[in-house]
Amino acid sequence: MTTNADEPQTRPRRRTPAGAAVLREDVTEAIRAAVFEELASVGYARMSIEGIARRAGVGKTAVYRRWKSKLHLVLDVVSALAVLGLPVPDTGSLEGDLRLLYEVTSRALRHPVASQIIPDLQAEAARNPEIAEAMQKALRDGQEGVASKIIAAAEQRGELRRGVDEELALDLISGPLYWRSVVIRAPKLPKGYLEALTRATAAALKAL
């Protein structure tokens, strides 16, 4: 029987074959969740492995088995956001896809945890190129994948001309909402803002 690397040390010790230790996934996920909570609570600069471990209900060794420093832990967690990505809308129209994307993105950006973590990590990114790269991947790549599929579907339906500049299209699709929600951190979107943004973005894309 193999010994779990995260089991309490009070259990009877058994001889463990080399390489047989197992890192429990529930412990790993608890640590990742604790990172988000700790970032939102104290920010990256004041965050510590001790605080993360305490919040996750594990020992520091459980954290260090997985990541060698808080930087590597944060980079891993932030990079994982790009893998998760956003759902690709499939409403049958360009405006419908954009409207649904804006609804989902707006909720995500305005979530209390995300609204505190993203600006803090952006500030750290200005000083740390590794965090900057991870932030770019998490924020841009996820949006880029969704935007490219929205554009491709609109081209197939004949709503957009073939060969639209995807880089410019991504800026048009993602820029305004990100600016309002993350950069200037408006406390509340004006009534009808997402509908107006949808119409304006669709018109801009069609003009490309």
Side-chain angles (χ1 to χ4, degrees), residues 185-200:
R185 305 186 73 179
K188 186 178 180 180
L189 293 177
K191 184 177 180 180
Y193 177 80
L194 293 182
E195 290 83 354
L197 179 60
T198 296
R199 292 192 299 270

Side-chain angles (χ1 to χ4, degrees), residues 121-139:
L121 288 180
Q122 283 182 318
E124 290 296 330
R127 297 182 287 269
N128 190 313
E130 290 181 282
I131 291 181
E133 183 179 355
M135 285 291 291
Q136 180 179 15
K137 184 173 182 60
L139 295 175

Side-chain angles (χ1 to χ4, degrees), residues 47-75:
M47 188 180 76
S48 67
I49 295 296
E50 290 82 358
I52 293 169
R54 183 169 54 252
R55 193 179 289 271
V58 301
K60 288 193 298 182
T61 54
V63 180
Y64 282 118
R65 285 191 189 102
R66 293 161 172 82
W67 301 277
K68 61 184 180 181
S69 69
K70 79 170 185 177
L71 173 60
H72 289 86
L73 175 50
V74 170
L75 289 176

Side-chain angles (χ1 to χ4, degrees), residues 11-191:
R11 294 189 180 184
R13 294 186 177 183
R14 295 176 182 272
R15 185 175 180 179
T16 305
V22 177
L23 297 179
R24 285 171 43 187
E25 186 61 27
D26 61 329
V27 173
T28 301
E29 290 308 310
I31 295 171
R32 287 192 173 117
V35 171
F36 282 109
E37 294 171 5
E38 196 75 357
L39 279 171
S41 176
V42 303
Y44 177 81
R46 294 174 58 197
M47 188 180 76
S48 67
I49 295 296
E50 290 82 358
I52 293 169
R54 183 169 54 252
R55 193 179 289 271
V58 301
K60 288 193 298 182
T61 54
V63 180
Y64 282 118
R65 285 191 189 102
R66 293 161 172 82
W67 301 277
K68 61 184 180 181
S69 69
K70 79 170 185 177
L71 173 60
H72 289 86
L73 175 50
V74 170
L75 289 176
D76 175 68
V77 170
V78 172
S79 297
L81 294 177
V83 177
L84 294 175
L86 293 167
V88 179
D90 185 18
T91 65
S93 72
L94 175 60
E95 287 198 15
D97 288 350
L98 290 172
R99 182 67 173 84
L100 183 55
L101 174 64
Y102 287 147
E103 287 179 357
V104 174
T105 304
S106 176
R107 286 197 299 268
L109 290 177
R110 296 170 70 82
H111 187 279
V113 174
S115 66
Q116 295 178 68
I117 289 176
I118 293 176
D120 181 59
L121 288 180
Q122 283 182 318
E124 290 296 330
R127 297 182 287 269
N128 190 313
E130 290 181 282
I131 291 181
E133 183 179 355
M135 285 291 291
Q136 180 179 15
K137 184 173 182 60
L139 295 175
R140 185 173 183 81
D141 288 6
Q143 284 278 339
E144 192 170 46
V146 174
S148 64
K149 291 177 181 176
I150 289 176
I151 293 167
E155 288 178 346
Q156 290 179 351
R157 291 190 297 262
E159 294 177 283
L160 296 178
R161 69 172 182 81
R162 297 282 180 175
V164 167
D165 184 335
E166 289 194 8
E167 286 291 317
L168 181 54
L170 175 61
D171 291 341
L172 290 171
I173 291 172
S174 304
L177 186 57
Y178 186 81
W179 167 266
R180 180 175 286 271
S181 299
V182 178
V183 179
I184 65 174
R185 305 186 73 179
K188 186 178 180 180
L189 293 177
K191 184 177 180 180

